[in-house]
Amino acid sequence: IAATVAPLPTTAFNVFAPPTKSNKPYTPKPSQIVTESWLDTLKYEGAPSFDVLAKTIEFAECMEFSQIEKFWADDYVFRGPIFGPITADDVRKTQQGFRIQDAYPNLETRPFGFTIDPDNPYRCYYFERWEGTNTQSVKIGPTELGPSMADVQLPTHIMSLNWTPEGKVRYACLSSPLDRFEGTTKGAGAVFGLLVGAGLDVGSASVGDGFLRLQQRFVHAIGGFGRNWSVEEDIPKWWKSKARGADPNDM
């Protein structure tokens, strides 16, 4: 039967084919369809007056809040798959509550693969693969974990930054892990992955999980060492979604 199958007229799907030589860098085509989104507020007329790629690399290489803060716009928002929307001030307070960087003194985010969004020149995507050694304890409110003394590597995730024409980051987004079998944290990523590395069983940490959503609302109500999202009056007006934390998308 195999002898009667004609060979494909292209090497596009042949993993053994030699790579095609080209001096021309690949540039994806812009979108050919017209849609509307509340996130269109992050698009601006004209080309950026600064190098978005270079500024994103500069941002991604920062490891201290004193370095990162200078990039944030006044109406900055951070959102992850089960965390946020949260303002710059609340991001700082939450990190101080966990004291993650103290627990992993050699923590590296290892950014790579920077690329500009073909549909928005003010947005840049890149990968991160965090790793470090848990040599100090992690404090979560009154609870203290570890240290586990374990070398920890998290699964790779994607970051994206939306810049303003003034060269400030207005929106930062962190994705779910790309490959849940990568790393040493059983698929847990970002801060949750570091907590797993310190010995915490985070259980199911996925969008829509009923118990997680209830737990997040309890923590949000009592405040204390950090929030899963900012209080309503502090969230910038441009952020329209009412989904909070691990809530499913509402728009």
Side-chain angles (χ1 to χ4, degrees):
I1 296 176
T4 65
V5 179
L8 291 173
T10 176
T11 59
F13 301 102
N14 186 350
V15 296
F16 300 105
T20 302
K21 293 183 178 180
S22 174
N23 295 322
K24 185 179 179 181
Y26 174 72
T27 303
K29 294 180 179 179
S31 176
Q32 302 299 304
I33 62 173
V34 178
T35 61
E36 292 185 358
S37 168
W38 60 277
L39 288 177
D40 287 343
T41 189
L42 299 172
K43 296 181 178 180
Y44 306 95
E45 294 293 333
S49 61
F50 58 93
D51 189 331
V52 172
L53 192 69
K55 290 210 70 161
T56 302
I57 292 173
E58 184 183 356
F59 176 96
E61 290 178 340
C62 296
M63 290 299 294
E64 301 292 337
F65 273 105
S66 59
Q67 300 172 316
I68 296 173
E69 287 177 322
K70 66 180 182 181
F71 291 98
W72 289 337
D74 292 339
D75 56 353
Y76 169 85
V77 171
F78 173 83
R79 188 64 159 104
I82 57 173
F83 186 81
I86 192 165
T87 64
D89 189 51
D90 283 335
V91 167
R92 186 187 309 106
K93 291 177 181 177
T94 299
Q95 293 286 10
Q96 289 172 346
F98 286 132
R99 303 192 69 84
I100 285 293
Q101 286 182 293
D102 291 344
Y104 290 83
N106 65 340
L107 179 66
E108 295 285 346
T109 58
R110 303 181 65 213
F112 64 98
F114 294 81
T115 186
I116 300 296
D117 187 333
D119 297 327
N120 185 356
Y122 286 90
R123 189 176 201 179
C124 186
Y125 293 86
Y126 59 97
F127 300 90
E128 288 185 335
R129 185 180 294 137
W130 297 6
E131 67 179 25
T133 307
N134 178 216
T135 58
Q136 301 294 328
S137 60
V138 177
K139 294 193 71 175
I140 308 175
T143 303
E144 189 166 316
L145 301 172
S148 66
M149 305 306 296
D151 290 328
V152 178
Q153 187 178 80
L154 277 58
T156 305
H157 62 248
I158 295 174
M159 283 289 298
S160 74
L161 303 182
N162 281 84
W163 296 84
T164 68
E166 294 74 34
K168 297 291 186 179
V169 177
R170 195 179 188 193
Y171 176 39
C173 178
L174 181 149
S175 78
S176 299
L178 300 179
D179 182 351
R180 65 191 178 99
F181 295 103
E182 181 184 28
T184 63
T185 58
K186 298 182 179 179
V191 173
F192 283 92
L194 296 178
L195 293 175
V196 170
L200 180 68
D201 182 5
V202 298
S204 174
S206 58
V207 175
D209 182 87
F211 179 75
L212 175 60
R213 294 169 67 195
L214 182 63
Q215 184 182 55
Q216 286 183 325
R217 277 167 168 74
F218 174 74
V219 172
H220 180 75
I222 63 175
F225 65 90
R227 294 185 178 276
N228 292 293
W229 57 85
S230 294
V231 296
E232 296 303 313
E233 56 265 31
D234 291 342
I235 297 173
K237 300 302 181 185
W238 69 263
W239 185 268
K240 302 301 182 184
S241 172
K242 297 301 182 183
R244 302 290 181 256
D247 290 349
N249 280 28
D250 60 337
M251 56 193 312

